Amino acid sequence: MQLKYAVSYIVIILACLIFTNIYPIVSYRDMLFDSKCASLKNQASLIASSLTPLSSLRSEEVAKVMDLLDVMELERIIVTDGEGKIVYDSLAESGNIGKYALFPEILRALEGKDVFYSRFSGGAISSRACIPVINEGKLTGTVYIAENDAEQAALISSLRSNIFKISAVAFAMAVLLALVISRVMTVKLRSILGAIRSVGAGKYGHRIKVRGRDELSQLAAEFNNLADRLQKTEEMRQRFVSDASHELKTPLAGIMLLSDSIVQNDKMDRDTIREFVYDIGKEAERLSRVTQRLLELTRLENKKQVGLVPTDIKKVVGEAMKILGPLAEEKDVLLESTLDDGCVILADSDLLHQIIFNLVENAIKYNNKGGRATVLLYKKEKEVRFIVDDTGVGIPEESLPHIFDRFYRVDESRSGEQGGSGLGLSIVKDAVLKLGGTVSASRRKQGGMRFEVVFPLYEGSVQAGRRGEDGRE
Ligand SMILES: Nc1ncnc2c1ncn2[C@@H]1O[C@H](COP(=O)(O)OP(=O)(O)OP(=O)(O)O)[C@@H](O)[C@H]1O
Ligand SMILES: [Mg+2]
């Protein structure tokens, strides 16, 4: 990854540098070539137009015209006649007069074409212009001008070498910087990757040290949050599994113990056997209750919050109390209720039933003989309150913070007697949270407990429907 980053940076920088090396030189050179061509063209045209009146180009006449023209600062001027024979050469010592000119530019001009160009050669800018001389539509000769500019060429060369030197330094710095930046970036990525691998391998406590506020730091912070949640869930899962297996193990051990004693003791009397079998039945009942509760919990956890509908709590309370009536009678507990109308909340009646049933069942189970369990339901502002009071044994202050924990029982032997699994209140809590409410427990001054559930009141279409009905009435 680091290599990829570094190489990409270097390639980008290299491309920029190549561009800055080539572009200014090329555009300056083109500009220079254009101006050279234009100047040579002007001068060639001037000479050609001065020679145009001559019907044929001869050495003496051309020399005379050239003397008048004062174009001697040009490096070389050659004038040929219509057949390409040199009639004038500014380089007098060349001894070319009378010879055929063999320059390709002159050969092209003899065909009637203008030739202009500039190029680098031999450390100088060599520019050439060659144009035909036309007299009354007849080609009478050509004018050839050559110029070599070493000064400008040297300027371009030094410009080029300067830009190159600057680019080389810039490139070296950029490479260094690219290596540093890519290292810094990949260090963070590497630490995130390492953390993901550690957590993936089961080290849930692994966290990334977050520095800075860039996207990678945010990613690291998000990862830490995720790992926190994962760790919490994992701890909960492990605790749940160990608690659940413990809860299942205890009644199973009891059953095994009791059945073993019956099998191994030949002389056991009928009544003892009956008592042992009765105990086995009790343990099996407890086992079945625990598994049923565990199933309920799993169902609750998997239940999505969708499908909540406006539900009148009074109806669900009525049903739950009907089911619990026989238990209250058996325990000699007076079950009474004051239920207001119109306590509608957004709920799932199954969840609501779990809440009501578990709270009222506890109020009966953990009560005294001749005690009372009171259920209250009323609206208060934008809330619906569901309260279960009892005159029972109560819960000690120090146990109150734990009663909604899974498998928590205040007094193992007492709850065990009642066949409790310690899951009822945790089911209540989960269900209440799913319905957007809160649940709390407090000790009553007169003795016994008060469980209070507060739900947000539903004020939607049910009330609107009522108004509609009223309207019809
Ligand atoms: N109204 C109450 N009065 C006194 N103690 C209570 C009351 N409600 C709950 N408790 C105590 O809190 C513990 C947890 O209650 P919870 O309903 O979660 O479990 P449980 O009743 O033991 O078992 P389950 O409800 O799963 O059959 C109980 O074991 C009991 O000791
Ligand atoms: Mg209970």
Side-chain angles (χ1 to χ4, degrees):
M1 192 83 185
Q2 186 190 351
L3 190 74
K4 272 189 197 161
Y5 270 131
V7 170
S8 337
Y9 286 139
I10 291 169
V11 167
I12 292 169
I13 289 158
L14 201 65
C16 292
L17 287 178
I18 289 172
F19 180 74
T20 43
N21 266 268
I22 291 174
Y23 181 73
I25 306 275
V26 167
S27 54
Y28 179 63
R29 195 195 59 193
D30 286 351
M31 219 171 68
L32 210 63
F33 284 177
D34 285 350
S35 87
K36 288 267 173 223
C37 278
S39 128
L40 283 197
K41 201 170 166 180
N42 277 343
Q43 300 193 62
S45 305
L46 178 74
I47 297 169
S49 60
S50 311
L51 295 174
T52 304
L54 304 177
S55 57
S56 68
L57 302 185
R58 279 193 297 272
S59 269
E60 309 80 50
E61 286 161 352
V62 171
K64 262 185 221 155
V65 174
M66 294 309 284
D67 281 349
L68 286 173
L69 274 177
D70 189 26
V71 282
M72 285 308 127
E73 78 270 18
L74 287 168
E75 199 166 312
R76 194 165 183 189
I77 304 167
I78 294 174
V79 180
T80 69
D81 64 10
E83 284 158 5
K85 239 189 256 167
I86 298 174
V87 291
Y88 174 84
D89 190 345
S90 61
L91 215 65
E93 60 273 23
S94 69
N96 281 338
I97 309 281
K99 290 183 186 163
Y100 280 103
L102 294 173
F103 296 123
E105 296 87 358
I106 294 177
L107 296 179
R108 292 206 61 190
L110 283 172
E111 288 167 14
K113 289 175 186 133
D114 294 349
V115 181
F116 306 104
Y117 70 84
S118 266
R119 67 172 167 229
F120 260 116
S121 72
I125 301 173
S126 55
S127 312
R128 303 282 181 269
C130 192
I131 56 172
V133 182
I134 314 277
N135 175 293
E136 289 171 5
K138 195 172 139 253
L139 191 138
T140 52
T142 66
V143 176
Y144 169 89
I145 303 179
E147 192 200 61
N148 286 328
D149 189 341
E151 228 171 75
Q152 291 287 353
L155 199 75
I156 289 182
S157 297
S158 93
L159 193 69
R160 185 185 284 166
S161 97
N162 280 345
I163 292 180
F164 183 75
K165 274 182 211 152
I166 294 169
S167 303
V169 174
F171 184 66
M173 279 166 60
V175 168
L176 211 71
L177 217 67
L179 288 175
V180 172
I181 291 174
S182 58
R183 169 115 201 121
V184 169
M185 282 187 74
T186 47
V187 157
K188 280 189 178 175
L189 269 179
R190 242 176 290 177
S191 84
I192 294 173
L193 199 68
I196 290 172
R197 284 200 184 120
S198 294
V199 172
K203 290 180 197 153
Y204 295 102
H206 192 105
R207 294 290 177 278
I208 306 167
K209 280 194 196 92
V210 182
R211 266 184 244 115
R213 311 203 66 209
D214 60 5
E215 280 83 354
L216 283 180
S217 308
Q218 286 174 24
L219 187 70
E222 281 301 320
F223 171 81
N224 284 347
N225 286 342
L226 204 71
D228 276 346
R229 263 178 282 151
L230 207 63
Q231 189 176 19
K232 229 177 265 166
T233 318
E234 181 58 19
E235 280 167 7
M236 265 170 64
R237 191 186 66 84
Q238 278 175 6
R239 207 173 46 237
F240 182 76
V241 169
S242 76
D243 287 352
S245 47
H246 174 80
E247 289 303 315
L248 296 173
K249 224 167 60 189
T250 320
L252 273 176
I255 291 172
M256 273 158 67
L257 209 73
L258 290 164
S259 55
D260 269 3
S261 3
I262 297 172
V263 170
Q264 279 163 19
N265 195 343
D266 297 337
K267 293 175 191 121
M268 196 178 266
D269 62 275
R270 232 182 122 75
D271 282 350
T272 319
I273 292 176
R274 272 184 81 86
E275 195 186 314
F276 276 22
V277 172
Y278 175 79
D279 287 346
I280 289 174
K282 276 266 168 218
E283 291 296 319
E285 210 178 287
R286 196 164 144 206
L287 208 60
S288 118
R289 188 174 169 88
V290 173
T291 40
Q292 191 199 333
R293 288 290 157 121
L294 284 175
L295 278 175
E296 272 162 19
L297 260 180
T298 327
R299 215 155 45 88
L300 248 175
E301 269 162 18
N302 292 338
K303 205 161 202 160
K304 299 268 160 10
Q305 200 135 15
V306 292
L308 298 186
V309 288
T311 311
D312 192 340
I313 304 184
K314 189 177 175 180
K315 219 176 114 207
V316 188
V317 174
E319 283 161 10
M321 284 179 63
K322 209 154 104 193
I323 301 170
L324 286 165
L327 180 70
E329 235 167 73
E330 186 193 311
K331 298 268 169 187
D332 193 13
V333 172
L334 179 65
L335 188 56
E336 47 186 21
S337 62
T338 312
L339 312 173
D340 280 2
D341 284 323
C343 293
V344 179
I345 63 163
L346 262 188
D348 171 297
S349 57
D350 197 22
L351 291 181
L352 205 53
H353 175 82
Q354 294 283 1
I355 298 165
I356 297 161
F357 183 89
N358 275 297
L359 291 179
V360 179
E361 186 196 33
N362 281 352
I364 299 169
K365 261 195 336 191
Y366 305 110
N367 218 316
N368 298 314
K369 233 175 184 333
R372 221 182 315 178
T374 315
V375 180
L376 300 173
L377 176 70
Y378 59 90
K379 276 195 288 190
K380 193 176 179 191
E381 287 155 9
K382 290 187 182 301
E383 290 171 349
V384 172
R385 281 164 195 259
F386 171 72
I387 294 169
V388 182
D389 279 346
D390 67 61
T391 55
V393 291
I395 297 173
E397 195 70 49
E398 66 273 14
S399 296
L400 276 182
H402 308 292
I403 51 167
F404 292 103
D405 293 350
R406 274 161 200 186
F407 300 110
Y408 184 83
R409 286 174 297 226
V410 173
D411 180 350
E412 291 278 336
S413 61
R414 186 182 79 192
S415 295
E417 242 169 61
Q418 313 282 352
S421 63
L423 288 172
L425 287 180
S426 65
I427 290 174
V428 168
K429 180 148 196 189
D430 279 11
V432 168
L433 289 180
K434 278 227 151 67
L435 300 183
T438 55
V439 57
S440 59
S442 54
R443 286 151 57 81
R444 279 167 18 108
K445 278 197 207 94
Q446 316 83 308
M449 290 298 298
R450 159 170 286 208
F451 282 87
E452 182 166 357
V453 186
V454 181
F455 294 112
L457 176 70
Y458 176 73
E459 298 172 298
S461 58
V462 168
Q463 284 182 358
R466 269 202 196 125
R467 271 200 299 275
E469 279 165 26
D470 289 349
R472 276 197 297 278
E473 279 165 13

